[in-house]
Structures are given as structure tokens and as C-alpha cells.
Coordinates of all heavy atoms in Angstrom, one line a residue:
A99 N -3.0 6.3 2.0 CA -1.9 5.3 1.6 C -1.2 4.8 2.8 O -1.2 5.5 3.9 CB -0.9 6.0 0.7
L100 N -0.6 3.7 2.7 CA 0.3 3.1 3.7 C 1.7 3.4 3.3 O 2.0 3.8 2.2 CB 0.1 1.6 3.8 CG -1.4 1.1 4.0 CD1 -1.3 -0.4 4.3 CD2 -2.1 1.8 5.2
Y101 N 2.6 3.3 4.3 CA 4.0 3.4 3.9 C 4.8 2.3 4.7 O 4.3 1.7 5.7 CB 4.5 4.8 4.2 CG 4.9 5.0 5.7 CD1 6.2 5.2 6.1 CD2 3.9 5.1 6.7 CE1 6.6 5.4 7.4 CE2 4.3 5.4 8.0 CZ 5.6 5.5 8.3 OH 6.0 5.7 9.6
I102 N 6.0 2.1 4.2 CA 6.9 1.0 4.8 C 8.0 1.7 5.6 O 8.7 2.6 5.1 CB 7.5 0.2 3.6 CG1 6.4 -0.6 2.9 CG2 8.5 -0.8 4.2 CD1 6.8 -1.3 1.7
T103 N 8.1 1.3 6.9 CA 9.0 1.9 7.8 C 10.4 1.2 7.6 O 10.6 0.2 6.9 CB 8.6 1.7 9.3 OG1 8.8 0.3 9.6 CG2 7.2 2.1 9.5
D104 N 11.4 1.8 8.3 CA 12.8 1.3 8.1 C 13.0 -0.1 8.8 O 14.1 -0.6 8.8 CB 13.8 2.3 8.5 CG 13.7 2.8 9.9 OD1 12.9 2.1 10.7 OD2 14.4 3.7 10.3
E105 N 11.9 -0.6 9.4 CA 12.0 -1.9 10.0 C 11.9 -3.0 8.9 O 12.1 -4.2 9.2 CB 11.0 -2.2 11.0 CG 11.2 -1.4 12.3 CD 10.0 -1.4 13.2 OE1 9.6 -2.4 13.7 OE2 9.4 -0.3 13.3
C106 N 11.6 -2.6 7.7 CA 11.5 -3.6 6.5 C 12.8 -4.4 6.4 O 13.9 -3.8 6.4 CB 11.3 -2.8 5.3 SG 11.3 -3.7 3.7
I107 N 12.6 -5.7 6.2 CA 13.8 -6.6 6.1 C 13.9 -7.1 4.6 O 14.6 -8.1 4.4 CB 13.6 -7.8 7.0 CG1 12.3 -8.6 6.8 CG2 13.8 -7.4 8.5 CD1 12.2 -9.9 7.5
N108 N 13.3 -6.4 3.7 CA 13.4 -6.7 2.3 C 13.1 -8.1 1.9 O 13.8 -8.8 1.1 CB 14.8 -6.3 1.8 CG 15.1 -4.8 1.8 OD1 14.3 -4.1 1.2 ND2 16.2 -4.4 2.4
C109 N 12.0 -8.7 2.5 CA 11.7 -10.1 2.3 C 11.0 -10.3 1.0 O 10.8 -11.4 0.5 CB 10.9 -10.6 3.4 SG 9.2 -10.0 3.5
D110 N 10.4 -9.2 0.4 CA 9.7 -9.3 -0.9 C 8.4 -10.0 -0.9 O 7.8 -10.4 -1.9 CB 10.6 -10.0 -2.0 CG 10.0 -9.9 -3.4 OD1 9.5 -8.8 -3.7 OD2 10.0 -10.9 -4.1
V111 N 7.9 -10.3 0.3 CA 6.6 -11.0 0.4 C 5.4 -10.1 0.0 O 4.5 -10.5 -0.6 CB 6.4 -11.5 1.9 CG1 4.9 -12.0 2.1 CG2 7.3 -12.7 2.1
C112 N 5.5 -8.8 0.3 CA 4.4 -7.9 0.1 C 4.2 -7.5 -1.4 O 3.1 -7.4 -1.8 CB 4.6 -6.6 0.9 SG 6.1 -5.7 0.6
E113 N 5.3 -7.4 -2.1 CA 5.2 -6.8 -3.4 C 4.2 -7.6 -4.4 O 3.4 -6.9 -5.0 CB 6.6 -6.8 -4.0 CG 6.8 -5.9 -5.2 CD 7.2 -6.6 -6.4 OE1 8.2 -7.3 -6.4 OE2 6.6 -6.4 -7.5
P114 N 4.3 -8.9 -4.5 CA 3.4 -9.6 -5.4 C 1.9 -9.6 -4.9 O 1.0 -9.9 -5.7 CB 3.9 -11.0 -5.4 CG 4.8 -11.2 -4.3 CD 5.3 -9.8 -3.9
E115 N 1.7 -9.2 -3.6 CA 0.3 -9.2 -3.1 C -0.4 -7.9 -3.4 O -1.7 -7.9 -3.3 CB 0.4 -9.4 -1.6 CG 1.0 -10.7 -1.1 CD 0.2 -11.9 -1.6 OE1 -1.0 -11.8 -1.7 OE2 0.9 -12.9 -1.9
C116 N 0.3 -6.9 -3.8 CA -0.4 -5.6 -4.0 C -1.2 -5.6 -5.3 O -0.6 -5.8 -6.4 CB 0.6 -4.5 -4.1 SG -0.2 -2.9 -4.3
P117 N -2.5 -5.4 -5.3 CA -3.3 -5.4 -6.5 C -3.1 -4.2 -7.4 O -3.5 -4.1 -8.5 CB -4.8 -5.4 -5.9 CG -4.6 -4.7 -4.6 CD -3.3 -5.1 -4.1
N118 N -2.5 -3.1 -6.8 CA -2.2 -1.9 -7.6 C -0.8 -1.7 -8.0 O -0.4 -0.7 -8.6 CB -2.6 -0.7 -6.7 CG -4.1 -0.7 -6.4 OD1 -4.9 -1.0 -7.2 ND2 -4.4 -0.3 -5.2
N119 N 0.0 -2.7 -7.8 CA 1.5 -2.6 -8.2 C 2.1 -1.4 -7.6 O 2.9 -0.7 -8.2 CB 1.7 -2.6 -9.7 CG 1.4 -4.0 -10.3 OD1 1.8 -5.0 -9.7 ND2 0.7 -4.0 -11.4
A120 N 1.7 -1.1 -6.3 CA 2.2 0.1 -5.7 C 3.5 -0.1 -4.9 O 4.1 0.9 -4.5 CB 1.1 0.6 -4.7
I121 N 3.9 -1.3 -4.8 CA 5.1 -1.7 -4.0 C 6.3 -2.0 -4.9 O 6.1 -2.8 -5.8 CB 4.8 -2.8 -3.0 CG1 3.6 -2.5 -2.1 CG2 6.1 -3.1 -2.1 CD1 3.2 -3.7 -1.2
S122 N 7.4 -1.5 -4.5 CA 8.6 -1.8 -5.3 C 9.8 -1.8 -4.4 O 9.8 -1.1 -3.4 CB 8.8 -0.8 -6.5 OG 8.9 0.5 -6.0
P123 N 10.9 -2.5 -4.8 CA 12.1 -2.4 -4.0 C 12.8 -1.0 -4.2 O 13.0 -0.6 -5.3 CB 13.0 -3.5 -4.7 CG 12.2 -4.2 -5.6 CD 11.1 -3.3 -6.0
G124 N 13.0 -0.3 -3.1 CA 13.6 1.0 -3.2 C 15.1 0.9 -3.0 O 15.7 -0.2 -3.1
E125 N 15.8 2.0 -2.8 CA 17.2 2.0 -2.6 C 17.7 1.1 -1.5 O 18.6 0.3 -1.6 CB 17.7 3.4 -2.3 CG 17.5 4.4 -3.5 CD 18.8 4.5 -4.4 OE1 19.9 4.6 -3.8 OE2 18.6 4.5 -5.6
E126 N 17.0 1.2 -0.4 CA 17.4 0.4 0.8 C 16.3 -0.5 1.3 O 16.6 -1.6 1.7 CB 17.9 1.4 1.9 CG 19.1 2.1 1.6 CD 19.6 3.1 2.7 OE1 18.9 3.1 3.7 OE2 20.6 3.7 2.5
I127 N 15.1 -0.1 1.3 CA 14.0 -0.9 1.7 C 12.9 -0.8 0.7 O 12.9 0.1 -0.2 CB 13.4 -0.5 3.1 CG1 13.1 1.0 3.1 CG2 14.5 -0.8 4.2 CD1 12.4 1.5 4.3
Y128 N 11.9 -1.6 0.8 CA 10.7 -1.6 -0.1 C 10.0 -0.3 0.1 O 9.9 0.3 1.2 CB 9.9 -2.8 0.1 CG 10.4 -4.0 -0.7 CD1 11.6 -4.6 -0.4 CD2 9.7 -4.5 -1.8 CE1 12.1 -5.6 -1.1 CE2 10.2 -5.5 -2.6 CZ 11.4 -6.1 -2.2 OH 11.9 -7.1 -3.0
E129 N 9.3 0.2 -0.9 CA 8.6 1.4 -0.9 C 7.2 1.3 -1.5 O 7.0 0.5 -2.4 CB 9.4 2.5 -1.8 CG 10.7 2.8 -1.2 CD 11.5 3.7 -2.2 OE1 11.2 3.9 -3.3 OE2 12.5 4.2 -1.7
I130 N 6.3 2.1 -1.0 CA 4.9 2.2 -1.5 C 4.7 3.5 -2.2 O 5.0 4.6 -1.7 CB 3.9 2.0 -0.4 CG1 4.0 0.6 0.2 CG2 2.5 2.4 -0.9 CD1 3.1 0.4 1.4
D131 N 4.2 3.5 -3.5 CA 3.9 4.7 -4.2 C 2.5 5.2 -3.7 O 1.5 4.5 -3.9 CB 3.8 4.4 -5.7 CG 3.6 5.7 -6.5 OD1 3.1 6.7 -5.9 OD2 3.7 5.6 -7.7
P132 N 2.5 6.3 -3.0 CA 1.2 6.8 -2.4 C 0.2 7.1 -3.5 O -1.0 7.2 -3.2 CB 1.6 8.0 -1.6 CG 2.9 8.5 -2.1 CD 3.6 7.3 -2.6
M133 N 0.6 7.4 -4.7 CA -0.3 7.7 -5.8 C -1.0 6.4 -6.2 O -2.1 6.5 -6.8 CB 0.4 8.3 -7.0 CG 1.2 9.5 -6.7 SD 0.1 10.9 -6.1 CE -0.7 11.3 -7.6
L134 N -0.5 5.3 -5.9 CA -1.1 4.0 -6.4 C -1.7 3.2 -5.2 O -2.6 2.4 -5.5 CB 0.0 3.1 -7.0 CG 0.5 3.6 -8.4 CD1 1.6 2.7 -8.9 CD2 -0.6 3.8 -9.4
C135 N -1.3 3.5 -4.0 CA -1.9 2.7 -2.9 C -3.3 3.2 -2.5 O -3.5 4.3 -2.1 CB -1.0 2.8 -1.6 SG -1.7 2.0 -0.2
T136 N -4.3 2.3 -2.6 CA -5.6 2.6 -2.2 C -6.0 2.0 -0.9 O -7.1 1.9 -0.5 CB -6.7 2.1 -3.2 OG1 -6.6 0.6 -3.3 CG2 -6.4 2.6 -4.6
E137 N -4.9 1.5 -0.1 CA -5.1 0.8 1.1 C -6.0 -0.5 0.8 O -6.7 -1.0 1.7 CB -5.7 1.7 2.2 CG -4.8 2.8 2.6 CD -5.3 3.7 3.7 OE1 -6.2 3.3 4.4 OE2 -4.8 4.9 3.7
C138 N -5.9 -0.9 -0.4 CA -6.6 -2.0 -1.0 C -8.1 -1.8 -1.1 O -8.9 -2.7 -1.5 CB -6.3 -3.3 -0.2 SG -4.7 -4.1 -0.6
V139 N -8.6 -0.6 -0.9 CA -10.0 -0.3 -1.2 C -10.3 -0.5 -2.7 O -9.5 -0.2 -3.5 CB -10.3 1.2 -0.8 CG1 -11.6 1.6 -1.3 CG2 -10.2 1.4 0.7
G140 N -11.4 -1.2 -2.9 CA -11.8 -1.5 -4.3 C -11.4 -3.0 -4.6 O -12.0 -3.5 -5.5
H141 N -10.4 -3.5 -3.9 CA -10.0 -4.9 -4.2 C -10.2 -5.8 -3.0 O -10.8 -6.9 -3.2 CB -8.5 -4.9 -4.4 CG -8.1 -4.2 -5.7 ND1 -8.2 -4.7 -6.9 CD2 -7.5 -2.9 -5.9 CE1 -7.7 -3.9 -7.9 NE2 -7.3 -2.8 -7.3
Y142 N -9.9 -5.4 -1.8 CA -10.0 -6.3 -0.6 C -10.5 -5.5 0.6 O -10.4 -4.3 0.6 CB -8.6 -6.9 -0.3 CG -8.0 -7.7 -1.4 CD1 -7.0 -7.2 -2.2 CD2 -8.4 -9.0 -1.7 CE1 -6.4 -7.9 -3.2 CE2 -7.9 -9.8 -2.7 CZ -6.9 -9.2 -3.5 OH -6.3 -9.9 -4.5
D143 N -10.9 -6.2 1.6 CA -11.4 -5.6 2.8 C -10.2 -5.1 3.7 O -10.4 -4.2 4.5 CB -12.2 -6.6 3.6 CG -13.6 -6.8 3.0 OD1 -14.0 -6.0 2.1 OD2 -14.2 -7.9 3.2
E144 N -9.1 -5.8 3.5 CA -7.9 -5.5 4.4 C -6.7 -5.2 3.5 O -6.6 -5.8 2.4 CB -7.6 -6.6 5.3 CG -8.7 -7.1 6.2 CD -8.9 -6.1 7.4 OE1 -7.9 -5.3 7.7 OE2 -9.9 -6.1 8.0
P145 N -5.9 -4.3 3.9 CA -4.6 -4.1 3.1 C -3.8 -5.4 3.1 O -3.4 -5.9 4.1 CB -3.9 -3.0 3.9 CG -4.9 -2.3 4.7 CD -6.0 -3.3 5.0
Q146 N -3.6 -5.9 1.9 CA -3.0 -7.2 1.7 C -1.5 -7.2 2.2 O -1.0 -8.2 2.7 CB -3.1 -7.6 0.2 CG -4.5 -7.8 -0.3 CD -5.2 -8.9 0.5 OE1 -4.9 -10.0 0.4 NE2 -6.2 -8.4 1.3
C147 N -0.8 -6.1 1.9 CA 0.6 -6.1 2.3 C 0.7 -6.2 3.9 O 1.6 -6.9 4.4 CB 1.3 -4.8 1.8 SG 0.4 -3.3 2.3
Q148 N -0.2 -5.5 4.6 CA -0.2 -5.6 6.0 C -0.4 -7.0 6.5 O 0.2 -7.4 7.5 CB -1.3 -4.7 6.6 CG -0.9 -3.3 6.9 CD -2.0 -2.5 7.6 OE1 -3.2 -2.9 7.6 NE2 -1.7 -1.3 8.1
Q149 N -1.2 -7.7 5.8 CA -1.6 -9.1 6.2 C -0.4 -10.0 6.1 O -0.2 -10.9 6.9 CB -2.7 -9.6 5.3 CG -3.9 -8.8 5.2 CD -4.8 -9.0 6.4 OE1 -5.1 -10.1 6.8 NE2 -5.2 -8.0 7.1
V150 N 0.5 -9.8 5.1 CA 1.6 -10.7 4.9 C 2.9 -10.3 5.5 O 3.8 -11.1 5.6 CB 1.8 -11.0 3.4 CG1 0.5 -11.7 2.8 CG2 2.1 -9.8 2.6
C151 N 3.1 -9.0 5.8 CA 4.4 -8.6 6.3 C 4.8 -9.2 7.6 O 4.1 -9.1 8.6 CB 4.4 -7.0 6.4 SG 6.0 -6.4 7.0
P152 N 5.9 -9.9 7.6 CA 6.3 -10.7 8.8 C 6.8 -9.8 9.9 O 6.8 -10.3 11.1 CB 7.4 -11.6 8.3 CG 8.0 -10.9 7.1 CD 6.9 -10.1 6.5
V153 N 7.2 -8.6 9.7 CA 7.6 -7.7 10.7 C 6.7 -6.5 11.0 O 7.1 -5.7 11.8 CB 9.1 -7.2 10.4 CG1 10.1 -8.4 10.4 CG2 9.1 -6.4 9.1
D154 N 5.5 -6.6 10.4 CA 4.5 -5.6 10.7 C 5.0 -4.1 10.6 O 4.8 -3.3 11.5 CB 4.1 -5.8 12.2 CG 2.6 -5.6 12.4 OD1 1.9 -5.3 11.4 OD2 2.1 -5.7 13.6
C155 N 5.6 -3.8 9.5 CA 6.2 -2.5 9.3 C 5.5 -1.7 8.3 O 6.1 -0.8 7.6 CB 7.7 -2.7 9.0 SG 8.0 -3.3 7.3
I156 N 4.2 -1.9 8.1 CA 3.4 -1.1 7.1 C 2.2 -0.4 7.7 O 1.1 -0.8 7.5 CB 3.0 -2.0 5.9 CG1 4.1 -3.0 5.5 CG2 2.6 -1.1 4.7 CD1 3.7 -3.9 4.3
P157 N 2.5 0.7 8.3 CA 1.3 1.5 8.9 C 0.7 2.5 7.9 O 1.2 2.6 6.8 CB 2.0 2.2 10.1 CG 3.4 2.5 9.6 CD 3.8 1.3 8.7
K158 N -0.3 3.2 8.4 CA -0.9 4.3 7.6 C 0.1 5.4 7.5 O 0.8 5.7 8.5 CB -2.2 4.7 8.2 CG -3.3 3.8 8.0 CD -4.7 4.5 8.1 CE -5.8 3.5 8.0 NZ -7.1 4.1 7.6
D159 N 0.2 6.0 6.3 CA 1.1 7.1 6.1 C 0.4 8.4 6.6 O -0.5 8.9 6.0 CB 1.4 7.2 4.6 CG 2.5 8.3 4.4 OD1 2.8 9.1 5.3 OD2 3.0 8.3 3.3
P160 N 1.0 9.0 7.7 CA 0.4 10.2 8.3 C 0.5 11.4 7.3 O -0.3 12.4 7.4 CB 1.2 10.5 9.5 CG 2.4 9.7 9.4 CD 2.1 8.6 8.5
N161 N 1.3 11.3 6.3 CA 1.5 12.4 5.3 C 0.5 12.2 4.1 O 0.4 13.0 3.3 CB 2.9 12.4 4.7 CG 3.9 12.9 5.8 OD1 3.6 13.7 6.6 ND2 5.0 12.2 5.9
H162 N -0.2 11.0 4.1 CA -1.1 10.7 3.0 C -2.4 10.1 3.6 O -2.7 9.0 3.3 CB -0.5 9.8 2.0 CG 0.6 10.4 1.2 ND1 1.9 10.2 1.4 CD2 0.5 11.3 0.1 CE1 2.6 10.9 0.6 NE2 1.8 11.6 -0.2
E163 N -3.0 10.9 4.5 CA -4.3 10.4 5.1 C -5.4 10.6 4.1 O -5.6 11.7 3.6 CB -4.6 11.1 6.4 CG -3.8 10.6 7.6 CD -4.3 11.1 8.9 OE1 -5.5 11.2 9.1 OE2 -3.5 11.5 9.7
E164 N -6.2 9.5 3.9 CA -7.3 9.6 3.0 C -8.5 8.9 3.5 O -8.4 7.9 4.2 CB -6.9 8.9 1.7 CG -5.8 9.6 0.9 CD -4.9 8.6 0.2 OE1 -4.2 7.8 0.8 OE2 -4.9 8.6 -1.1
S165 N -9.7 9.5 3.2 CA -10.9 8.8 3.6 C -11.2 7.7 2.7 O -10.6 7.5 1.6 CB -12.1 9.8 3.5 OG -12.3 10.1 2.1
K166 N -12.1 6.8 3.1 CA -12.5 5.7 2.3 C -13.0 6.1 0.9 O -12.8 5.5 -0.1 CB -13.6 4.9 3.0 CG -14.0 3.6 2.3 CD -13.9 2.4 3.3 CE -14.2 1.2 2.5 NZ -14.0 0.0 3.3
E167 N -13.8 7.3 0.9 CA -14.3 7.8 -0.4 C -13.1 8.2 -1.3 O -13.2 8.0 -2.5 CB -15.2 9.0 -0.1 CG -16.5 8.6 0.5 CD -16.5 8.2 2.0 OE1 -15.5 8.6 2.7 OE2 -17.3 7.3 2.4
E168 N -12.1 8.9 -0.7 CA -11.0 9.3 -1.5 C -10.2 8.1 -2.0 O -9.8 8.1 -3.2 CB -10.1 10.2 -0.7 CG -10.6 11.6 -0.3 CD -9.8 12.3 0.7 OE1 -9.3 11.7 1.6 OE2 -9.7 13.6 0.5
L169 N -10.1 7.1 -1.2 CA -9.4 5.9 -1.7 C -10.2 5.2 -2.8 O -9.6 4.7 -3.8 CB -9.2 4.9 -0.5 CG -8.2 5.4 0.6 CD1 -8.3 4.6 1.8 CD2 -6.8 5.4 0.1
M170 N -11.5 5.2 -2.7 CA -12.3 4.6 -3.7 C -12.2 5.4 -5.0 O -12.1 4.8 -6.1 CB -13.8 4.5 -3.3 CG -14.7 3.8 -4.3 SD -14.2 2.2 -4.8 CE -14.9 1.2 -3.4
R171 N -12.2 6.7 -4.9 CA -12.0 7.5 -6.1 C -10.7 7.3 -6.7 O -10.6 7.2 -8.0 CB -12.1 9.0 -5.6 CG -11.8 10.0 -6.7 CD -13.1 10.3 -7.6 NE -12.8 11.1 -8.7 CZ -13.1 10.9 -9.9 NH1 -13.9 9.8 -10.2 NH2 -12.8 11.7 -10.9
K172 N -9.6 7.1 -5.9 CA -8.3 6.7 -6.5 C -8.3 5.4 -7.2 O -7.8 5.3 -8.3 CB -7.3 6.7 -5.3 CG -5.8 6.7 -5.8 CD -4.8 6.3 -4.7 CE -4.6 7.4 -3.7 NZ -3.6 6.9 -2.7
Y173 N -9.0 4.4 -6.6 CA -9.2 3.1 -7.2 C -9.8 3.3 -8.6 O -9.4 2.7 -9.6 CB -10.0 2.2 -6.3 CG -10.6 1.0 -7.0 CD1 -9.8 -0.1 -7.2 CD2 -11.9 1.0 -7.4 CE1 -10.3 -1.2 -7.9 CE2 -12.5 -0.1 -8.0 CZ -11.7 -1.2 -8.2 OH -12.2 -2.3 -8.9
E174 N -10.9 4.1 -8.6 CA -11.6 4.2 -9.9 C -10.8 4.9 -11.0 O -10.8 4.5 -12.1 CB -12.9 5.1 -9.7 CG -13.9 4.3 -8.9 CD -15.1 5.2 -8.4 OE1 -15.0 6.4 -8.6 OE2 -16.1 4.6 -8.0
I175 N -9.9 5.8 -10.6 CA -9.0 6.5 -11.5 C -8.0 5.5 -12.0 O -7.7 5.5 -13.2 CB -8.4 7.8 -10.8 CG1 -9.5 8.8 -10.6 CG2 -7.3 8.3 -11.7 CD1 -9.0 10.0 -9.8
I176 N -7.4 4.8 -11.1 CA -6.3 3.8 -11.5 C -6.8 2.8 -12.4 O -6.2 2.4 -13.4 CB -5.7 3.2 -10.2 CG1 -4.9 4.2 -9.4 CG2 -4.8 2.0 -10.6 CD1 -4.5 3.6 -8.0
T177 N -8.1 2.3 -12.1 CA -8.6 1.2 -12.9 C -9.3 1.7 -14.2 O -9.8 0.9 -15.0 CB -9.5 0.3 -12.1 OG1 -10.6 1.1 -11.6 CG2 -8.8 -0.3 -10.9
G178 N -9.5 3.0 -14.3 CA -10.2 3.5 -15.4 C -11.7 3.3 -15.3 O -12.4 3.4 -16.3
A179 N -12.2 3.1 -14.1 CA -13.6 2.8 -13.9 C -14.4 4.1 -13.8 O -15.6 4.1 -13.8 CB -13.9 1.9 -12.7
A180 N -13.7 5.2 -13.6 CA -14.4 6.5 -13.4 C -14.7 7.2 -14.7 O -14.0 7.0 -15.7 CB -13.6 7.4 -12.5
Ligands
LIG230 FE1 -0.8 -2.3 -2.2 FE2 -3.0 -2.6 -0.7 FE3 -0.6 -2.5 0.4 FE4 -1.6 -0.3 -0.6 S1 -2.4 -1.4 1.1 S2 0.5 -1.0 -0.9 S3 -2.8 -1.1 -2.3 S4 -1.3 -4.1 -0.9
LIG231 FE1 9.5 -5.2 3.9 FE2 7.3 -6.2 5.1 FE3 7.4 -6.0 2.5 FE4 8.9 -7.8 3.7 S1 6.6 -7.7 3.6 S2 9.5 -6.4 2.0 S3 9.5 -6.7 5.5 S4 7.5 -4.3 3.9

């Protein structure tokens, strides 16, 4: 999963781009639900939120490191394809 750092400026550009609805406005900055973020695996070649974020504040979450296979498995579970 990816996560949003405190450099987020709450611009709301990323939220509608997420195919998994993993992004939401948090208490202070936008947040990514690691249970829902597949790093866009299954949907796109690149993480869509990273592509649009104007301040580049969405890196990989070191606390939720996942392999491509694990991300694909998460995608299948979320979409009911498994
Ligand atoms: Fe959503 Fe993709 Fe960003 Fe994860 S990487 S939060 S799935 S847009
Ligand atoms: Fe925050 Fe970047 Fe999302 Fe804008 S696009 S709300 S700055 S994480």
C-alpha cells in the first residue's frame, strides 16, 4: 500500500482517481486505507494517486510492504474475482 505524508495540502485531486476508493479526507490530511490500496495493481500500471498529486507526497508505506502477487490477491478479494 501507499500512504500520504504530512506534506499533503488537501487538494482533493487524488481521491476521485482511486479505483479502489481507498482515499478519504482524514482529520487533518487525506488518508489511504491500506486494506483497500492495491497500489493500483489490477487496474492500472501506475499508482493513479501518485500520478496526480501536485506535491508528490504519496510514497510506498514501509509498514505495509507487499509484493505484486499480494497486491493482485488483494485486488481479487476486493473485487470478488477470487
Ligand atoms: Fe488508490 Fe491506487 Fe493510490 Fe492505492 S495507489 S490509493 S489504489 S490510487
Ligand atoms: Fe493530498 Fe496529494 Fe491527495 Fe492532494 S493529491 S489531497 S496533496 S495526497
Side-chain angles (χ1 to χ4, degrees):
L100 306 187
Y101 83 109
I102 295 172
T103 74
D104 59 11
E105 286 166 68
C106 172
I107 55 170
N108 292 307
C109 72
D110 190 44
V111 167
C112 57
E113 198 239 312
E115 298 300 324
C116 180
N118 295 321
N119 288 319
I121 305 175
S122 60
E125 292 266 318
E126 292 181 0
I127 55 173
Y128 275 66
E129 296 172 345
I130 292 174
D131 182 346
M133 301 300 288
L134 293 177
C135 175
T136 63
E137 300 181 19
C138 282
V139 167
H141 293 281
Y142 300 101
D143 290 339
E144 301 284 342
Q146 298 299 292
C147 55
Q148 272 183 344
Q149 303 283 308
V150 298
C151 180
V153 294
D154 216 5
C155 69
I156 318 181
K158 284 202 185 204
D159 186 346
N161 294 319
H162 292 99
E163 279 193 41
E164 295 148 292
S165 69
K166 187 128 186 176
E167 288 70 30
E168 289 170 322
L169 291 166
M170 182 56 84
R171 177 80 187 134
K172 193 195 286 184
Y173 163 78
E174 290 171 349
I175 290 169
I176 290 171
T177 59

